[in-house]
Amino acid sequence: MDLKYVQTTCPYCGTGCSFNLVVKDGKVVGTAPYQRSPVNEGKVCPKGTYAHEFINSPDRLTKPLIKKDGKFVEASWEEAIKLIADKFKSYKPDECAVLSSARVSNEENYAMMKFARGVLKTRHIDHCARLCHSSTVAGLANIFGSGAMTNSIPDIAESKCVFVIGSNTFENHPLIGRQIMKAKANGAKVVYVDPRKTPTGKQADLFIQFYSGTDVCLLNGMMQEIIRNGWENKEFIEKRCNGFEDLKSEVMKDDYSLENVSSVTGVPVDDIKTAAEWFAKSGATAILYSMGITQHTTGVDNVKSVGNIQMLTGNLGRPGTGVNALRGQNNVQGACDMGCLPVVFTGYQKVIDEAAHKKFADAWKFPDGIAEGKNGYEVTVMMNVLTDNPGELKCMYIMGENPMISDPDLNHVEEALKNLEFLVVQDIFMNETGELADVILPSCCYAEKDGTQTNTERRVQMWRKAQDPPGEAKLDWQIIADIAKAMGYGEQFAWNSAEEIFNEMAALTPSYAGMDYTRLNRPEALHWPCPTKDHPGTPILHGEKFGMPDGKGLMTAIPFKYQQERPDAEYPILLTTGRCIWHWHTGTMTRRSENLEREEPTGWIEMHPEDAKALGVKNDEMVRAISRRGEITIKARITDTIKKGVMFIPFHFVECAANVLTINALDPIAKIPESKACAIRVEKITEA
């Protein structure tokens, strides 16, 4: 028997925990602790504990599949690649769109970005960051000059006040939750803001239960209280910020008096007062947030407001402070860094910048040039174009994404994808999006590849291959390179390893320029920006100055706006969505994990006892949840931990998919959908 441990990083959330894969006779059979990572110190959550269970699932994709007469038939790689290459060649650049993936490595995202811009010459490339943290990237870049989490994960333990808003950290980023508890053990106050009293809220010193979508109102009210009491950090504002008078003129309006804020948010006046005082006077306050802040039509406003209150109180650039945007998927930060967005190349170098465009065109040496230097469509806009203007987009290449579960208003998404002439899906399992494809390409999971991924704190860590892939499955970057070669661009994709791809990327990306596999192959790895080979990396951003041209942060007046769809007589309930501790996003991997599926085999709708009583609904009873876009049948879970008038559905479960109900309303800047607030009604199923 051959038994070995292979150290790697987790394929689920953005925390970036490390563990060992246990490999027996060439197959992964379990996980074991890896003690040396500063991120998780040998601990993992349930998903990490069972991160081996889906790897050798019997329904892994093992051969290319081509749809013929409405049914998939197995094909050779040669046949599949030739078909794809011929079809791709038949379309104009602007008729093609590409979705890259927060689930694959930095190297594979870079390969897909290069393929989109160099081979297809399309400007339409995006990935699921659009659905979770595009408002973070846009909002923080606008006020700080960088769209990333400002501090490190271990750093949170040094906070004197931890303010968590729009993040159920203990369930969604449990090992970051551990740092909150370390801070609390050291005397920090924990404030938790959410419509639900989640496990995170149960550990808080102050739980603020508010209505989803009223974040700006609450934060503006807190800032008014801080300024009125003279608690703002005058020295920090004077030295390091612009725009204070603009901010002050907005937040000091009567709209944000404690009484008005209380009536809008549903939060008692005394709780707002206490939160403001703890926040401003702690000496080191860290804000943690996630999709509860970002997935709104006001997502960018919410993010800027978080930045405003941290600048107002001087809680930036030091240990235990910062704006800590907790990224959702394992490599959503890396996929953004790699330029899998419609507006940037790697390292957020703008495609409309002539110098950046020339830099990449010169380095890549495509004989017929690269995509024009214009911004492309976001994935949410792609779906609207496909339904509203059929024929403009004709072909799509999707790697490691499942928009048929993850995107808002699923009936709309299905109509959009069915309007494509040609769809290629590259994945490890057949999924709901794959069912609509013309060609399916089998790829490798995290345990079958080398490469890097970048966690929520900008730490670039390594994946290490533990086993061979099943059947004829190939590495994502190899598949991309094979298609490129078949289309006449083999020279531009002549890589022999993930390391070669990383080195090419780093040479073009200032924030990664000092990194290589030798430097990354250690427990602490490196945080970007790391511009030179002797640079130690940057765990804390904005220590001396911000990334703006003059080095100063931009305080911004943000008026409160309600969400697009508010409850009314016909749809009286406010729906919000999210995750649970046992599953991850569309459930493609976790629902194939026996231990995780046993814990939470299907979805539910949480409702307050008074709402349940009014409907005549008992716990575990099946009910019908209906929005203006669709309806689902789902089990009721009655609990006093949710605010009256608000209901919650986790979005992992295809059989009762929350995104059948959610609204395809978008933030005007980030184009992120409003997944956290829409209006529904719930009906008792009387015929049952």
Side-chain angles (χ1 to χ4, degrees):
M1 181 178 74
D2 179 32
L3 192 69
K4 64 179 179 178
Y5 283 0
V6 178
Q7 190 242 321
T8 195
T9 52
C10 186
Y12 288 118
C13 84
T15 306
C17 297
S18 292
F19 50 70
N20 286 310
L21 288 171
V22 182
V23 186
K24 179 183 174 185
D25 297 331
K27 290 286 182 190
V28 174
V29 295
T31 64
Y34 174 77
Q35 305 287 355
R36 296 174 62 198
S37 167
V39 175
N40 60 306
E41 300 171 302
K43 310 287 192 293
V44 287
C45 80
K47 289 184 286 290
T49 302
Y50 300 113
H52 61 287
E53 289 194 338
F54 71 87
I55 293 170
N56 292 304
S57 183
D59 60 341
R60 282 286 301 273
L61 291 167
T62 59
K63 285 178 176 284
L65 303 172
I66 295 174
K67 192 174 278 178
K68 296 178 178 177
D69 299 322
K71 291 185 178 178
F72 285 113
V73 296
E74 290 184 355
S76 67
W77 273 106
E78 291 73 21
E79 182 186 0
I81 296 288
K82 184 179 187 308
L83 172 64
I84 293 166
D86 290 347
K87 292 291 281 188
F88 281 175
K89 283 181 196 170
S90 72
Y91 295 108
K92 298 172 186 169
D94 262 8
E95 294 174 336
C96 302
V98 169
L99 296 186
S100 204
S101 177
R103 315 227 49 78
V104 307
S105 68
N106 288 323
E107 294 79 1
E108 289 160 332
N109 276 299
Y110 174 80
M112 184 60 105
M113 187 273 292
K114 185 178 181 179
F115 181 89
R117 299 196 185 282
V119 177
L120 297 179
K121 310 205 188 301
T122 182
R123 46 199 183 92
H124 307 314
I125 175 171
D126 205 1
H127 74 288
C128 72
R130 183 69 44 206
L131 309 172
C132 60
H133 270 285
S134 53
S135 32
T136 291
V137 176
L140 294 186
N142 184 265
I143 60 172
F144 293 163
S146 168
M149 179 169 164
T150 64
N151 288 53
S152 75
I153 291 168
D155 194 63
I156 295 164
E158 298 186 44
S159 301
K160 301 303 177 194
C161 175
V162 183
F163 187 88
V164 185
I165 180 168
S167 163
N168 179 8
T169 317
F170 283 34
E171 289 201 74
N172 297 333
H173 299 89
L175 273 298
I176 296 178
R178 186 167 177 261
Q179 301 298 334
I180 297 174
M181 294 307 289
K182 282 186 182 179
K184 185 174 178 176
N186 291 332
K189 297 286 190 187
V190 178
V191 182
Y192 183 66
V193 186
D194 202 274
R196 303 165 65 223
K197 192 170 188 178
T198 65
T200 316
K202 289 170 185 174
Q203 296 297 330
D205 298 289
L206 175 63
F207 171 50
I208 292 180
Q209 192 165 39
F210 78 144
Y211 290 115
S212 182
T214 60
D215 309 78
V216 167
C217 186
L218 177 68
L219 292 167
N220 280 358
M222 287 175 62
M223 285 188 272
Q224 182 179 118
E225 178 74 0
I226 288 166
I227 293 170
R228 201 168 54 232
N229 284 284
W231 297 331
E232 73 272 25
N233 189 324
K234 298 175 182 65
E235 183 184 0
F236 188 91
I237 295 165
E238 174 69 25
K239 285 184 177 177
R240 298 202 49 192
C241 303
N242 294 318
F244 173 65
E245 292 303 326
D246 289 343
L247 173 70
K248 184 177 177 181
S249 67
E250 178 65 33
V251 303
M252 298 312 288
K253 289 177 179 175
D254 286 345
D255 301 21
Y256 309 114
S257 70
L258 293 174
E259 291 73 20
N260 284 344
V261 171
S262 178
S263 69
V264 170
T265 62
V267 179
V269 165
D270 285 347
D271 286 353
I272 304 170
K273 278 185 176 178
T274 301
E277 184 168 2
W278 288 0
F279 194 110
K281 294 168 77 173
S282 79
T285 296
I287 286 188
L288 277 60
Y289 76 81
S290 193
M291 297 191 300
I293 279 273
T294 58
Q295 287 182 326
H296 292 275
T297 48
T298 56
V300 171
D301 285 353
N302 294 346
V303 169
K304 288 182 177 179
S305 294
V306 165
N308 280 340
I309 196 168
Q310 286 297 63
M311 286 187 280
L312 183 70
T313 54
N315 280 302
L316 286 155
R318 296 179 285 117
T321 66
V323 173
N324 299 293
L326 308 183
R327 306 305 293 263
Q329 303 213 47
N330 58 307
N331 200 29
V332 71
Q333 182 66 58
C336 293
D337 297 346
M338 294 303 106
C340 295
L341 298 166
V343 297
V344 290
F345 296 106
T346 62
Y348 309 95
Q349 300 169 86
K350 292 178 179 168
V351 298
I352 59 171
D353 178 352
E354 288 183 18
H357 190 273
K358 183 177 187 304
K359 170 182 171 177
F360 281 85
D362 290 351
W364 287 342
K365 296 183 171 61
F366 284 93
D368 47 0
I370 64 173
E372 60 181 326
K374 286 169 62 179
N375 294 337
Y377 288 150
E378 301 85 355
V379 58
T380 43
V381 174
M382 291 176 196
M383 298 303 172
N384 289 342
V385 169
L386 282 165
T387 55
D388 301 346
N389 193 19
E392 182 183 340
L393 288 174
K394 296 180 179 177
C395 131
M396 191 176 279
Y397 182 7
I398 300 178
M399 171 175 69
E401 297 263 318
N402 188 10
M404 276 299 297
I405 297 293
S406 61
D407 289 27
D409 188 359
L410 292 180
N411 291 321
H412 172 256
V413 176
E414 183 174 8
E415 180 191 351
L417 293 179
K418 284 182 174 177
N419 280 345
L420 287 165
E421 289 180 10
F422 188 63
L423 173 61
V424 178
V425 168
Q426 183 167 308
D427 219 312
I428 61 174
F429 293 109
M430 177 64 78
N431 60 30
E432 292 72 23
T433 304
E435 297 287 356
L436 303 177
D438 297 285
V439 184
I440 299 279
L441 302 175
S443 60
C444 298
C445 80
Y446 79 107
E448 295 149 2
K449 60 178 74 171
D450 295 316
T452 60
Q453 60 177 17
T454 306
N455 76 344
T456 187
E457 54 171 356
R458 299 169 284 106
R459 194 189 299 261
V460 183
Q461 301 182 104
M462 300 191 77
W463 270 340
R464 294 167 181 85
K465 181 178 175 179
Q467 69 166 44
D468 289 329
E472 297 175 21
K474 287 187 178 185
L475 293 164
D476 287 284
W477 67 260
Q478 285 184 327
I479 300 170
I480 294 164
D482 287 348
I483 299 171
K485 184 178 180 182
M487 294 178 71
Y489 300 101
E491 197 176 310
Q492 285 73 27
F493 292 79
W495 304 305
N496 295 303
S497 67
E499 185 173 9
E500 287 184 14
I501 304 173
F502 187 92
N503 292 339
E504 178 183 318
M505 175 277 297
L508 291 167
T509 312
S511 54
Y512 281 68
M515 299 183 191
D516 56 41
Y517 274 26
T518 301
R519 294 195 72 197
L520 294 175
N521 191 22
R522 56 188 186 179
E524 63 276 18
L526 287 164
H527 294 81
W528 69 255
C530 179
T532 60
K533 293 291 186 190
D534 57 356
H535 194 282
T538 313
I540 299 177
L541 295 178
H542 317 312
E544 299 297 326
K545 59 183 183 177
F546 290 96
M548 305 292 276
D550 65 356
K552 290 190 172 186
L554 179 61
M555 301 175 104
T556 314
I558 304 290
F560 167 63
K561 299 189 275 292
Y562 279 102
Q563 71 268 24
Q564 174 142 333
E565 185 177 73
R566 296 176 66 189
D568 56 20
E570 190 179 1
Y571 298 94
I573 296 295
L574 182 64
L575 174 70
T576 191
T577 66
R579 302 183 284 242
C580 70
I581 192 167
W582 307 106
H583 286 293
W584 198 248
H585 286 246
T586 64
T588 307
M589 298 189 301
T590 51
R591 297 196 74 187
R592 287 176 170 86
S593 174
E594 181 185 343
N595 281 287
L596 299 174
E597 180 72 354
R598 186 190 305 121
E599 292 290 345
E600 206 68 87
T602 192
W604 68 91
I605 182 165
E606 273 178 27
M607 59 179 72
H608 190 274
E610 290 184 36
D611 291 324
K613 186 178 179 183
L615 291 164
V617 169
K618 293 184 173 67
N619 197 46
D620 284 344
E621 185 176 338
M622 298 300 288
V623 297
R624 195 177 285 118
I626 305 162
S627 76
R628 290 177 173 87
R629 291 151 295 281
E631 64 176 69
I632 59 174
T633 302
I634 190 167
K635 182 171 66 175
R637 185 173 289 181
I638 300 168
T639 173
D640 61 4
T641 58
I642 195 162
K643 197 166 181 67
K644 184 175 179 286
V646 179
M647 295 187 188
F648 166 86
I649 299 176
F651 52 55
H652 315 290
F653 303 96
V654 63
E655 67 274 19
C656 46
N659 280 325
V660 169
L661 307 174
T662 51
I663 187 169
N664 184 37
L666 306 179
D667 179 285
I669 297 166
K671 301 296 192 288
I672 195 169
E674 188 144 62
S675 301
K676 288 293 181 278
C678 71
I680 65 165
R681 70 172 183 268
V682 173
E683 295 176 353
K684 188 179 174 73
I685 302 175
T686 50
E687 59 267 28

